[in-house]
Amino acid sequence: MVSSTQQLSAHKIRTTEIRIAVLNLFLENKQALSKQDIEQFLPNQDRITLYRTLKTFEDKGLIHRVINSSNILKYALCSDSCSHDYHNDQHIHFECTNCRQTTCIENVPLPKLTLPKEYLVQNLELTVSGLCKDCK
Amino acid sequence: MVSSTQQLSAHKIRTTEIRIAVLNLFLENKQALSKQDIEQFLPNQDRITLYRTLKTFEDKGLIHRVINSSNILKYALCSDSCSHDYHNDQHIHFECTNCRQTTCIENVPLPKLTLPKEYLVQNLELTVSGLCKDCK
DNA sequence: TTGTATATTGCAACGATGTTGCAAAAACAA
DNA sequence: TTGTTTTTGCAACATCGTTGCAATATACAA
Ligand SMILES: [Mn+2]
Ligand SMILES: [Mn+2]
Ligand SMILES: [Zn+2]
Ligand SMILES: [Zn+2]
């Protein structure tokens, strides 16, 4: 059990009120959060500071972007292996078409893929949509 | 060989100057185009009219959205099977990390995927990034 | 071809959002 | 505690998505 304060220090991020609050949100929710989501949870925070908080978290390897079909940018917690100079977030994302909750699926391997040889494949981004446990 | 004018009529879209120009762009380019891309090709067009043109094309089944990792919305031509009440655009998208060109890959089937049974899978969105023929 | 119903355009306007600069405040390390 | 460095909160600006509306263009029937 690692506290958000310890986690910030480990990533060389100064512990401030908003950073602890935002990181706690991610730790408690276990799903991807949009800037809007966060603003609803933390209504009295300055939007520019929140913008910079998310940027810092992304730069330092605490969170990664989650692209979804509605083109709303969300963020989710990174695994421990991400750091300020290396992100390692190759996994499937699942988006519920009903409740719109978006989660990282860590325990299903990405499929192998063979493209025509004119393409050099470097990375896969796979978002699955459907119904989550609560909505189906 | 179907002209852009015929294609618009077939989708019950009135043929206007900007619609013909935009559709021709897609027909000539064979890759996904962002609103910015289109504005560069058609510099004298009103941005609101372009916005509505793309919305109409999407609604009527002429183009579909292409999500990419940089979160820039692009559009690409639909196959003939798309119409105003049904989009059928399940295919892989490829984005070159060097030139940023994004293309639809129609002739490679989407991989099969098995998720834990708490999820009901409805749709896959797969974007592959790497180097295109010209850039590798 | 012409007239009319209907759809589209161009512009103003507004809100939401991303981004930067800067001075005041806070965090950190000695 | 003190000095240095980072962060915050606010103003400011650009960009973008979106809607309303009056003028204009399109389609089609007469
Ligand atoms: Mn993830
Ligand atoms: Mn496509
Ligand atoms: Zn759900
Ligand atoms: Zn390329």
Short mmCIF file of all heavy atoms in Angstrom, two decimals, chain A residues 67-69 71 73 92 94 97 103 105 107-108 111 113-133 136, chain B residues 65 67-69 71 73 92 94 97 103 105 108 111 113-133 136:
data_model
loop_
_atom_site.label_atom_id
_atom_site.label_comp_id
_atom_site.label_asym_id
_atom_site.label_seq_id
_atom_site.Cartn_x
_atom_site.Cartn_y
_atom_site.Cartn_z
N ILE A 67 -7.49 7.17 -25.56
CA ILE A 67 -8.28 7.69 -26.67
C ILE A 67 -9.57 6.88 -26.76
O ILE A 67 -9.54 5.66 -26.71
CB ILE A 67 -7.51 7.53 -27.99
CG1 ILE A 67 -6.09 8.04 -27.85
CG2 ILE A 67 -8.24 8.23 -29.12
CD1 ILE A 67 -5.97 9.51 -27.71
N ASN A 68 -10.68 7.55 -26.89
CA ASN A 68 -11.92 6.81 -27.09
C ASN A 68 -12.67 7.33 -28.31
O ASN A 68 -12.33 8.36 -28.88
CB ASN A 68 -12.79 6.85 -25.83
CG ASN A 68 -13.09 8.27 -25.42
OD1 ASN A 68 -12.88 9.20 -26.17
ND2 ASN A 68 -13.59 8.42 -24.22
N SER A 69 -13.70 6.60 -28.70
CA SER A 69 -14.33 6.90 -29.97
C SER A 69 -15.05 8.24 -29.98
O SER A 69 -15.23 8.83 -31.03
CB SER A 69 -15.32 5.79 -30.33
OG SER A 69 -16.26 5.65 -29.28
N ASN A 71 -13.85 10.83 -28.90
CA ASN A 71 -12.82 11.85 -29.03
C ASN A 71 -12.71 12.75 -27.80
O ASN A 71 -12.31 13.90 -27.90
CB ASN A 71 -13.07 12.70 -30.28
CG ASN A 71 -11.76 13.16 -30.87
OD1 ASN A 71 -10.75 12.46 -30.79
ND2 ASN A 71 -11.76 14.33 -31.46
N LEU A 73 -10.68 13.24 -24.50
CA LEU A 73 -9.42 12.78 -23.94
C LEU A 73 -9.60 12.39 -22.48
O LEU A 73 -10.11 13.15 -21.68
CB LEU A 73 -8.38 13.90 -24.05
CG LEU A 73 -7.00 13.60 -23.48
CD1 LEU A 73 -6.39 12.37 -24.12
CD2 LEU A 73 -6.10 14.81 -23.66
N ILE A 92 -5.13 -3.09 -23.79
CA ILE A 92 -6.44 -2.80 -24.35
C ILE A 92 -7.19 -1.84 -23.44
O ILE A 92 -7.04 -1.88 -22.21
CB ILE A 92 -7.23 -4.13 -24.50
CG1 ILE A 92 -6.49 -5.07 -25.46
CG2 ILE A 92 -8.65 -3.87 -24.98
CD1 ILE A 92 -7.05 -6.48 -25.47
N PHE A 94 -11.16 -0.54 -22.59
CA PHE A 94 -12.56 -0.89 -22.78
C PHE A 94 -13.44 0.30 -22.43
O PHE A 94 -13.30 0.89 -21.36
CB PHE A 94 -12.96 -2.09 -21.93
CG PHE A 94 -14.38 -2.54 -22.17
CD1 PHE A 94 -14.65 -3.47 -23.17
CD2 PHE A 94 -15.43 -2.03 -21.43
CE1 PHE A 94 -15.95 -3.88 -23.43
CE2 PHE A 94 -16.74 -2.44 -21.67
CZ PHE A 94 -17.00 -3.36 -22.68
N THR A 97 -20.46 1.52 -23.82
CA THR A 97 -21.26 2.41 -24.65
C THR A 97 -22.45 2.97 -23.89
O THR A 97 -23.08 3.92 -24.34
CB THR A 97 -21.80 1.66 -25.89
OG1 THR A 97 -22.45 0.46 -25.47
CG2 THR A 97 -20.67 1.29 -26.83
N THR A 103 -11.99 1.71 -18.96
CA THR A 103 -11.04 1.04 -18.08
C THR A 103 -9.87 0.47 -18.85
O THR A 103 -10.00 0.13 -20.03
CB THR A 103 -11.71 -0.12 -17.32
OG1 THR A 103 -12.55 -0.83 -18.22
CG2 THR A 103 -12.55 0.39 -16.18
N ILE A 105 -7.48 -2.63 -19.50
CA ILE A 105 -7.52 -4.09 -19.33
C ILE A 105 -6.10 -4.61 -19.42
O ILE A 105 -5.53 -4.74 -20.51
CB ILE A 105 -8.42 -4.72 -20.41
CG1 ILE A 105 -9.85 -4.18 -20.24
CG2 ILE A 105 -8.40 -6.23 -20.30
CD1 ILE A 105 -10.86 -4.84 -21.11
N ASN A 107 -4.77 -7.52 -18.25
CA ASN A 107 -4.44 -8.94 -18.25
C ASN A 107 -4.84 -9.68 -19.53
O ASN A 107 -4.90 -10.89 -19.55
CB ASN A 107 -5.10 -9.62 -17.04
CG ASN A 107 -6.58 -9.25 -16.92
OD1 ASN A 107 -7.10 -8.56 -17.79
ND2 ASN A 107 -7.23 -9.72 -15.88
N VAL A 108 -5.13 -8.95 -20.59
CA VAL A 108 -5.39 -9.57 -21.88
C VAL A 108 -4.32 -9.09 -22.85
O VAL A 108 -4.17 -7.88 -23.03
CB VAL A 108 -6.79 -9.20 -22.41
CG1 VAL A 108 -7.02 -9.81 -23.80
CG2 VAL A 108 -7.87 -9.66 -21.45
N PRO A 111 -3.48 -8.41 -29.46
CA PRO A 111 -3.40 -9.43 -30.53
C PRO A 111 -2.19 -9.18 -31.43
O PRO A 111 -1.73 -8.05 -31.58
CB PRO A 111 -4.70 -9.20 -31.31
CG PRO A 111 -5.10 -7.80 -31.02
CD PRO A 111 -4.65 -7.54 -29.61
N LEU A 113 -0.56 -9.03 -35.12
CA LEU A 113 -1.15 -8.46 -36.32
C LEU A 113 -0.12 -8.46 -37.44
O LEU A 113 1.02 -8.08 -37.24
CB LEU A 113 -1.57 -7.03 -36.02
CG LEU A 113 -2.58 -6.41 -36.96
CD1 LEU A 113 -3.94 -7.05 -36.73
CD2 LEU A 113 -2.66 -4.92 -36.70
N THR A 114 -0.55 -8.89 -38.61
CA THR A 114 0.35 -8.84 -39.77
C THR A 114 -0.25 -7.92 -40.82
O THR A 114 -1.33 -8.19 -41.34
CB THR A 114 0.53 -10.25 -40.37
OG1 THR A 114 0.87 -11.16 -39.33
CG2 THR A 114 1.65 -10.23 -41.40
N LEU A 115 0.46 -6.87 -41.09
CA LEU A 115 0.01 -5.93 -42.12
C LEU A 115 0.79 -6.19 -43.41
O LEU A 115 1.85 -6.81 -43.38
CB LEU A 115 0.24 -4.49 -41.66
CG LEU A 115 -0.64 -3.98 -40.54
CD1 LEU A 115 -0.50 -2.47 -40.41
CD2 LEU A 115 -2.10 -4.33 -40.77
N PRO A 116 0.28 -5.72 -44.54
CA PRO A 116 1.06 -5.80 -45.79
C PRO A 116 2.46 -5.23 -45.56
O PRO A 116 2.64 -4.30 -44.79
CB PRO A 116 0.25 -4.91 -46.74
CG PRO A 116 -1.15 -4.98 -46.24
CD PRO A 116 -1.05 -5.13 -44.75
N LYS A 117 3.44 -5.79 -46.29
CA LYS A 117 4.82 -5.50 -45.91
C LYS A 117 5.28 -4.09 -46.23
O LYS A 117 6.39 -3.71 -45.87
CB LYS A 117 5.77 -6.54 -46.54
CG LYS A 117 5.78 -6.60 -48.04
CD LYS A 117 6.88 -7.60 -48.50
CE LYS A 117 6.97 -7.64 -50.00
NZ LYS A 117 5.74 -8.23 -50.61
N GLU A 118 4.42 -3.29 -46.87
CA GLU A 118 4.82 -1.89 -47.03
C GLU A 118 4.72 -1.10 -45.72
O GLU A 118 5.20 0.01 -45.64
CB GLU A 118 3.98 -1.21 -48.12
CG GLU A 118 2.51 -1.07 -47.77
CD GLU A 118 1.61 -1.73 -48.81
OE1 GLU A 118 1.91 -2.90 -49.17
OE2 GLU A 118 0.65 -1.10 -49.25
N TYR A 119 4.09 -1.68 -44.70
CA TYR A 119 3.97 -1.00 -43.43
C TYR A 119 4.94 -1.57 -42.40
O TYR A 119 5.09 -2.79 -42.30
CB TYR A 119 2.55 -1.15 -42.87
CG TYR A 119 1.47 -0.55 -43.74
CD1 TYR A 119 0.63 -1.35 -44.49
CD2 TYR A 119 1.30 0.82 -43.79
CE1 TYR A 119 -0.37 -0.80 -45.29
CE2 TYR A 119 0.31 1.38 -44.59
CZ TYR A 119 -0.52 0.57 -45.33
OH TYR A 119 -1.50 1.11 -46.11
N LEU A 120 5.58 -0.70 -41.64
CA LEU A 120 6.39 -1.14 -40.51
C LEU A 120 5.63 -0.83 -39.22
O LEU A 120 5.49 0.33 -38.83
CB LEU A 120 7.74 -0.40 -40.51
CG LEU A 120 8.63 -0.67 -39.32
CD1 LEU A 120 8.99 -2.14 -39.23
CD2 LEU A 120 9.91 0.16 -39.41
N VAL A 121 5.16 -1.89 -38.57
CA VAL A 121 4.31 -1.71 -37.39
C VAL A 121 5.16 -1.43 -36.15
O VAL A 121 6.11 -2.16 -35.87
CB VAL A 121 3.44 -2.96 -37.15
CG1 VAL A 121 2.67 -2.85 -35.85
CG2 VAL A 121 2.49 -3.16 -38.32
N GLN A 122 4.80 -0.39 -35.43
CA GLN A 122 5.54 -0.07 -34.20
C GLN A 122 4.67 -0.19 -32.96
O GLN A 122 5.15 -0.50 -31.90
CB GLN A 122 6.09 1.37 -34.28
CG GLN A 122 7.22 1.54 -35.28
CD GLN A 122 7.63 2.99 -35.45
OE1 GLN A 122 6.82 3.89 -35.21
NE2 GLN A 122 8.85 3.22 -35.87
N ASN A 123 3.39 0.09 -33.11
CA ASN A 123 2.56 0.21 -31.91
C ASN A 123 1.09 -0.04 -32.25
O ASN A 123 0.65 0.27 -33.34
CB ASN A 123 2.71 1.63 -31.35
CG ASN A 123 2.27 1.70 -29.91
OD1 ASN A 123 2.24 0.70 -29.19
ND2 ASN A 123 1.90 2.89 -29.47
N LEU A 124 0.38 -0.62 -31.31
CA LEU A 124 -1.06 -0.83 -31.48
C LEU A 124 -1.83 -0.04 -30.44
O LEU A 124 -1.44 0.00 -29.27
CB LEU A 124 -1.44 -2.31 -31.30
CG LEU A 124 -0.85 -3.36 -32.22
CD1 LEU A 124 -1.58 -4.68 -32.00
CD2 LEU A 124 -0.96 -2.92 -33.66
N GLU A 125 -2.92 0.54 -30.87
CA GLU A 125 -3.83 1.22 -29.95
C GLU A 125 -5.20 0.58 -30.14
O GLU A 125 -5.82 0.75 -31.18
CB GLU A 125 -3.87 2.70 -30.31
CG GLU A 125 -4.72 3.55 -29.41
CD GLU A 125 -3.85 4.36 -28.46
OE1 GLU A 125 -2.71 4.68 -28.82
OE2 GLU A 125 -4.35 4.64 -27.36
N LEU A 126 -5.64 -0.19 -29.18
CA LEU A 126 -6.87 -0.96 -29.34
C LEU A 126 -7.90 -0.57 -28.28
O LEU A 126 -7.66 -0.75 -27.09
CB LEU A 126 -6.56 -2.46 -29.25
CG LEU A 126 -7.76 -3.40 -29.33
CD1 LEU A 126 -8.60 -3.15 -30.57
CD2 LEU A 126 -7.29 -4.85 -29.32
N THR A 127 -8.99 -0.01 -28.73
CA THR A 127 -10.08 0.34 -27.83
C THR A 127 -11.29 -0.51 -28.17
O THR A 127 -11.78 -0.49 -29.30
CB THR A 127 -10.44 1.83 -27.95
OG1 THR A 127 -9.29 2.61 -27.66
CG2 THR A 127 -11.53 2.19 -26.95
N VAL A 128 -11.75 -1.25 -27.20
CA VAL A 128 -12.92 -2.11 -27.38
C VAL A 128 -14.10 -1.40 -26.75
O VAL A 128 -14.01 -0.92 -25.63
CB VAL A 128 -12.71 -3.47 -26.70
CG1 VAL A 128 -13.91 -4.37 -26.92
CG2 VAL A 128 -11.43 -4.12 -27.21
N SER A 129 -15.20 -1.34 -27.48
CA SER A 129 -16.41 -0.79 -26.86
C SER A 129 -17.46 -1.88 -26.73
O SER A 129 -17.44 -2.87 -27.44
CB SER A 129 -16.94 0.39 -27.68
OG SER A 129 -17.22 -0.02 -28.98
N GLY A 130 -18.35 -1.67 -25.80
CA GLY A 130 -19.38 -2.65 -25.51
C GLY A 130 -20.05 -2.32 -24.20
O GLY A 130 -20.14 -1.15 -23.84
N LEU A 131 -20.51 -3.36 -23.51
CA LEU A 131 -21.19 -3.13 -22.24
C LEU A 131 -20.35 -3.67 -21.09
O LEU A 131 -19.81 -4.78 -21.17
CB LEU A 131 -22.57 -3.80 -22.24
CG LEU A 131 -23.58 -3.19 -23.22
CD1 LEU A 131 -24.88 -3.99 -23.23
CD2 LEU A 131 -23.87 -1.73 -22.88
N CYS A 132 -20.26 -2.90 -20.05
CA CYS A 132 -19.49 -3.31 -18.88
C CYS A 132 -20.35 -4.21 -17.98
O CYS A 132 -21.54 -4.42 -18.23
CB CYS A 132 -19.00 -2.10 -18.11
SG CYS A 132 -20.28 -1.25 -17.18
N LYS A 133 -19.71 -4.72 -16.95
CA LYS A 133 -20.38 -5.65 -16.03
C LYS A 133 -21.69 -5.08 -15.50
O LYS A 133 -22.71 -5.76 -15.45
CB LYS A 133 -19.42 -5.92 -14.86
CG LYS A 133 -19.89 -6.94 -13.89
CD LYS A 133 -18.80 -7.30 -12.86
CE LYS A 133 -17.83 -6.16 -12.56
NZ LYS A 133 -16.95 -6.47 -11.43
N LYS A 136 -24.57 -4.51 -18.66
CA LYS A 136 -25.08 -5.52 -19.60
C LYS A 136 -26.25 -6.30 -19.01
O LYS A 136 -26.50 -6.26 -17.84
CB LYS A 136 -23.97 -6.45 -20.06
CG LYS A 136 -23.61 -7.56 -19.12
CD LYS A 136 -22.60 -8.47 -19.78
CE LYS A 136 -22.19 -9.56 -18.78
NZ LYS A 136 -21.13 -10.42 -19.32
N ARG B 65 -15.23 8.94 -38.91
CA ARG B 65 -14.16 9.49 -38.08
C ARG B 65 -13.01 8.51 -37.93
O ARG B 65 -13.22 7.31 -37.84
CB ARG B 65 -14.69 9.79 -36.67
CG ARG B 65 -15.59 10.99 -36.63
CD ARG B 65 -16.36 11.03 -35.32
NE ARG B 65 -17.26 12.17 -35.35
CZ ARG B 65 -17.19 13.18 -34.48
NH1 ARG B 65 -16.34 13.14 -33.48
NH2 ARG B 65 -18.02 14.19 -34.59
N ILE B 67 -9.90 8.04 -35.34
CA ILE B 67 -9.26 8.49 -34.10
C ILE B 67 -7.78 8.14 -34.17
O ILE B 67 -7.42 7.02 -34.54
CB ILE B 67 -9.88 7.76 -32.89
CG1 ILE B 67 -11.39 7.82 -32.95
CG2 ILE B 67 -9.35 8.33 -31.60
CD1 ILE B 67 -11.98 9.15 -32.69
N ASN B 68 -6.93 9.06 -33.83
CA ASN B 68 -5.51 8.72 -33.78
C ASN B 68 -4.90 9.13 -32.44
O ASN B 68 -5.52 9.83 -31.65
CB ASN B 68 -4.77 9.37 -34.95
CG ASN B 68 -4.94 10.87 -34.96
OD1 ASN B 68 -5.41 11.44 -33.99
ND2 ASN B 68 -4.57 11.48 -36.05
N SER B 69 -3.69 8.70 -32.22
CA SER B 69 -3.11 8.83 -30.88
C SER B 69 -2.86 10.29 -30.49
O SER B 69 -2.82 10.62 -29.33
CB SER B 69 -1.81 8.04 -30.80
OG SER B 69 -0.91 8.50 -31.78
N ASN B 71 -4.87 12.54 -30.90
CA ASN B 71 -6.16 13.11 -30.55
C ASN B 71 -6.60 14.22 -31.50
O ASN B 71 -7.32 15.13 -31.12
CB ASN B 71 -6.14 13.64 -29.11
CG ASN B 71 -7.50 13.50 -28.47
OD1 ASN B 71 -8.21 12.55 -28.75
ND2 ASN B 71 -7.86 14.43 -27.61
N LEU B 73 -8.83 14.87 -34.63
CA LEU B 73 -9.91 14.20 -35.35
C LEU B 73 -9.68 14.27 -36.84
O LEU B 73 -9.47 15.34 -37.41
CB LEU B 73 -11.24 14.86 -34.99
CG LEU B 73 -12.48 14.31 -35.67
CD1 LEU B 73 -12.64 12.83 -35.39
CD2 LEU B 73 -13.70 15.08 -35.20
N ILE B 92 -8.97 -1.59 -39.83
CA ILE B 92 -7.80 -1.06 -39.15
C ILE B 92 -7.43 0.29 -39.75
O ILE B 92 -7.59 0.51 -40.95
CB ILE B 92 -6.63 -2.05 -39.30
CG1 ILE B 92 -6.99 -3.39 -38.65
CG2 ILE B 92 -5.35 -1.49 -38.71
CD1 ILE B 92 -6.00 -4.49 -38.97
N PHE B 94 -4.11 2.96 -40.07
CA PHE B 94 -2.66 3.03 -39.90
C PHE B 94 -2.22 4.48 -39.90
O PHE B 94 -2.58 5.24 -40.80
CB PHE B 94 -1.95 2.28 -41.03
CG PHE B 94 -0.46 2.25 -40.86
CD1 PHE B 94 0.14 1.24 -40.11
CD2 PHE B 94 0.34 3.23 -41.41
CE1 PHE B 94 1.51 1.21 -39.92
CE2 PHE B 94 1.73 3.22 -41.22
CZ PHE B 94 2.30 2.20 -40.48
N THR B 97 4.11 7.45 -37.98
CA THR B 97 4.62 8.30 -36.91
C THR B 97 5.54 9.39 -37.45
O THR B 97 5.85 10.34 -36.76
CB THR B 97 5.42 7.47 -35.88
OG1 THR B 97 6.40 6.70 -36.58
CG2 THR B 97 4.50 6.53 -35.12
N THR B 103 -4.21 6.20 -42.94
CA THR B 103 -4.95 5.53 -44.00
C THR B 103 -5.82 4.42 -43.44
O THR B 103 -5.54 3.85 -42.39
CB THR B 103 -3.97 4.88 -45.02
OG1 THR B 103 -2.91 4.26 -44.29
CG2 THR B 103 -3.38 5.91 -45.94
N ILE B 105 -7.09 0.68 -43.73
CA ILE B 105 -6.60 -0.59 -44.26
C ILE B 105 -7.78 -1.54 -44.37
O ILE B 105 -8.23 -2.13 -43.39
CB ILE B 105 -5.50 -1.17 -43.37
CG1 ILE B 105 -4.33 -0.19 -43.33
CG2 ILE B 105 -5.05 -2.53 -43.89
CD1 ILE B 105 -3.13 -0.69 -42.62
N VAL B 108 -7.27 -6.12 -44.41
CA VAL B 108 -6.76 -6.94 -43.31
C VAL B 108 -7.89 -7.08 -42.29
O VAL B 108 -8.40 -6.07 -41.81
CB VAL B 108 -5.53 -6.30 -42.64
CG1 VAL B 108 -5.06 -7.14 -41.47
CG2 VAL B 108 -4.42 -6.09 -43.65
N PRO B 111 -8.60 -8.43 -35.77
CA PRO B 111 -8.32 -9.65 -35.00
C PRO B 111 -9.51 -10.04 -34.13
O PRO B 111 -10.29 -9.19 -33.71
CB PRO B 111 -7.12 -9.24 -34.14
CG PRO B 111 -7.21 -7.75 -34.05
CD PRO B 111 -7.79 -7.29 -35.35
N LEU B 113 -10.97 -11.33 -30.59
CA LEU B 113 -10.53 -10.93 -29.27
C LEU B 113 -11.45 -11.55 -28.23
O LEU B 113 -12.67 -11.52 -28.37
CB LEU B 113 -10.60 -9.40 -29.16
CG LEU B 113 -9.80 -8.77 -28.06
CD1 LEU B 113 -8.31 -8.86 -28.41
CD2 LEU B 113 -10.21 -7.33 -27.90
N THR B 114 -10.86 -12.10 -27.19
CA THR B 114 -11.66 -12.64 -26.09
C THR B 114 -11.35 -11.87 -24.83
O THR B 114 -10.22 -11.89 -24.35
CB THR B 114 -11.36 -14.13 -25.87
OG1 THR B 114 -11.45 -14.81 -27.13
CG2 THR B 114 -12.37 -14.72 -24.90
N LEU B 115 -12.36 -11.22 -24.30
CA LEU B 115 -12.19 -10.49 -23.05
C LEU B 115 -12.80 -11.30 -21.92
O LEU B 115 -13.60 -12.21 -22.16
CB LEU B 115 -12.88 -9.13 -23.14
CG LEU B 115 -12.26 -8.09 -24.06
CD1 LEU B 115 -12.88 -6.71 -23.79
CD2 LEU B 115 -10.75 -8.01 -23.87
N PRO B 116 -12.42 -10.99 -20.68
CA PRO B 116 -13.07 -11.62 -19.53
C PRO B 116 -14.58 -11.50 -19.65
O PRO B 116 -15.08 -10.50 -20.17
CB PRO B 116 -12.55 -10.81 -18.34
CG PRO B 116 -11.22 -10.31 -18.79
CD PRO B 116 -11.33 -10.09 -20.27
N LYS B 117 -15.31 -12.49 -19.13
CA LYS B 117 -16.73 -12.59 -19.49
C LYS B 117 -17.60 -11.52 -18.85
O LYS B 117 -18.79 -11.46 -19.15
CB LYS B 117 -17.26 -14.00 -19.18
CG LYS B 117 -17.20 -14.43 -17.74
CD LYS B 117 -17.90 -15.78 -17.60
CE LYS B 117 -17.91 -16.26 -16.16
NZ LYS B 117 -16.54 -16.55 -15.65
N GLU B 118 -17.02 -10.69 -17.99
CA GLU B 118 -17.83 -9.57 -17.49
C GLU B 118 -18.03 -8.48 -18.54
O GLU B 118 -18.86 -7.59 -18.36
CB GLU B 118 -17.19 -8.97 -16.23
CG GLU B 118 -15.87 -8.28 -16.46
CD GLU B 118 -14.77 -8.85 -15.60
OE1 GLU B 118 -14.63 -10.10 -15.59
OE2 GLU B 118 -14.05 -8.07 -14.95
N TYR B 119 -17.29 -8.57 -19.66
CA TYR B 119 -17.44 -7.57 -20.72
C TYR B 119 -18.22 -8.15 -21.90
O TYR B 119 -17.99 -9.28 -22.31
CB TYR B 119 -16.07 -7.10 -21.23
CG TYR B 119 -15.22 -6.44 -20.19
CD1 TYR B 119 -14.14 -7.11 -19.61
CD2 TYR B 119 -15.49 -5.14 -19.78
CE1 TYR B 119 -13.35 -6.49 -18.65
CE2 TYR B 119 -14.70 -4.52 -18.82
CZ TYR B 119 -13.64 -5.20 -18.26
OH TYR B 119 -12.86 -4.60 -17.32
N LEU B 120 -19.11 -7.34 -22.44
CA LEU B 120 -19.81 -7.70 -23.67
C LEU B 120 -19.24 -6.86 -24.81
O LEU B 120 -19.45 -5.64 -24.86
CB LEU B 120 -21.32 -7.44 -23.53
CG LEU B 120 -22.14 -7.67 -24.80
CD1 LEU B 120 -22.00 -9.10 -25.29
CD2 LEU B 120 -23.61 -7.35 -24.54
N VAL B 121 -18.49 -7.50 -25.69
CA VAL B 121 -17.78 -6.77 -26.74
C VAL B 121 -18.72 -6.48 -27.91
O VAL B 121 -19.40 -7.37 -28.41
CB VAL B 121 -16.57 -7.59 -27.24
CG1 VAL B 121 -15.93 -6.90 -28.44
CG2 VAL B 121 -15.56 -7.76 -26.12
N GLN B 122 -18.76 -5.23 -28.32
CA GLN B 122 -19.60 -4.85 -29.46
C GLN B 122 -18.79 -4.37 -30.64
O GLN B 122 -19.20 -4.51 -31.78
CB GLN B 122 -20.58 -3.75 -29.04
CG GLN B 122 -21.66 -4.21 -28.09
CD GLN B 122 -22.50 -3.06 -27.56
OE1 GLN B 122 -22.03 -1.93 -27.49
NE2 GLN B 122 -23.73 -3.36 -27.17
N ASN B 123 -17.65 -3.77 -30.38
CA ASN B 123 -16.95 -3.08 -31.46
C ASN B 123 -15.47 -2.94 -31.12
O ASN B 123 -15.10 -2.78 -29.97
CB ASN B 123 -17.57 -1.68 -31.63
CG ASN B 123 -17.22 -1.09 -32.97
OD1 ASN B 123 -16.91 -1.81 -33.91
ND2 ASN B 123 -17.25 0.23 -33.05
N LEU B 124 -14.64 -2.98 -32.15
CA LEU B 124 -13.20 -2.78 -31.97
C LEU B 124 -12.76 -1.54 -32.73
O LEU B 124 -13.18 -1.32 -33.87
CB LEU B 124 -12.38 -3.95 -32.51
CG LEU B 124 -12.58 -5.33 -31.92
CD1 LEU B 124 -11.48 -6.26 -32.45
CD2 LEU B 124 -12.54 -5.28 -30.42
N GLU B 125 -11.91 -0.78 -32.12
CA GLU B 125 -11.29 0.36 -32.79
C GLU B 125 -9.78 0.17 -32.71
O GLU B 125 -9.19 0.24 -31.64
CB GLU B 125 -11.70 1.64 -32.07
CG GLU B 125 -11.19 2.91 -32.68
CD GLU B 125 -12.28 3.61 -33.47
OE1 GLU B 125 -13.47 3.44 -33.12
OE2 GLU B 125 -11.95 4.29 -34.44
N LEU B 126 -9.17 -0.15 -33.85
CA LEU B 126 -7.75 -0.50 -33.83
C LEU B 126 -6.95 0.45 -34.71
O LEU B 126 -7.16 0.51 -35.92
CB LEU B 126 -7.57 -1.94 -34.32
CG LEU B 126 -6.13 -2.46 -34.42
CD1 LEU B 126 -5.38 -2.26 -33.12
CD2 LEU B 126 -6.14 -3.93 -34.81
N THR B 127 -6.06 1.18 -34.08
CA THR B 127 -5.18 2.08 -34.81
C THR B 127 -3.75 1.59 -34.65
O THR B 127 -3.25 1.47 -33.54
CB THR B 127 -5.30 3.52 -34.29
OG1 THR B 127 -6.65 3.94 -34.41
CG2 THR B 127 -4.42 4.45 -35.11
N VAL B 128 -3.13 1.32 -35.77
CA VAL B 128 -1.75 0.85 -35.76
C VAL B 128 -0.87 2.03 -36.14
O VAL B 128 -1.16 2.73 -37.10
CB VAL B 128 -1.55 -0.28 -36.78
CG1 VAL B 128 -0.13 -0.79 -36.74
CG2 VAL B 128 -2.54 -1.40 -36.51
N SER B 129 0.20 2.23 -35.37
CA SER B 129 1.12 3.28 -35.78
C SER B 129 2.46 2.66 -36.15
O SER B 129 2.80 1.56 -35.71
CB SER B 129 1.29 4.32 -34.67
OG SER B 129 1.73 3.71 -33.50
N GLY B 130 3.20 3.38 -36.95
CA GLY B 130 4.48 2.87 -37.44
C GLY B 130 4.94 3.71 -38.61
O GLY B 130 4.63 4.90 -38.66
N LEU B 131 5.69 3.09 -39.53
CA LEU B 131 6.20 3.84 -40.67
C LEU B 131 5.53 3.37 -41.95
O LEU B 131 5.39 2.17 -42.17
CB LEU B 131 7.72 3.67 -40.79
CG LEU B 131 8.54 4.29 -39.64
CD1 LEU B 131 10.02 3.97 -39.81
CD2 LEU B 131 8.32 5.79 -39.57
N CYS B 132 5.13 4.33 -42.77
CA CYS B 132 4.48 4.00 -44.03
C CYS B 132 5.54 3.67 -45.09
O CYS B 132 6.74 3.79 -44.85
CB CYS B 132 3.59 5.15 -44.48
SG CYS B 132 4.48 6.56 -45.11
N LYS B 133 5.06 3.27 -46.24
CA LYS B 133 5.94 2.87 -47.33
C LYS B 133 6.98 3.95 -47.64
O LYS B 133 8.16 3.67 -47.83
CB LYS B 133 5.07 2.61 -48.57
CG LYS B 133 5.77 2.08 -49.77
CD LYS B 133 4.80 1.67 -50.88
CE LYS B 133 3.55 2.52 -50.95
NZ LYS B 133 2.73 2.23 -52.13
N LYS B 136 9.65 4.55 -44.37
CA LYS B 136 10.51 3.57 -43.70
C LYS B 136 11.83 3.37 -44.46
O LYS B 136 11.96 3.73 -45.59
CB LYS B 136 9.77 2.25 -43.51
CG LYS B 136 9.73 1.34 -44.72
CD LYS B 136 9.05 0.03 -44.36
CE LYS B 136 8.93 -0.83 -45.60
NZ LYS B 136 8.17 -2.06 -45.36
#
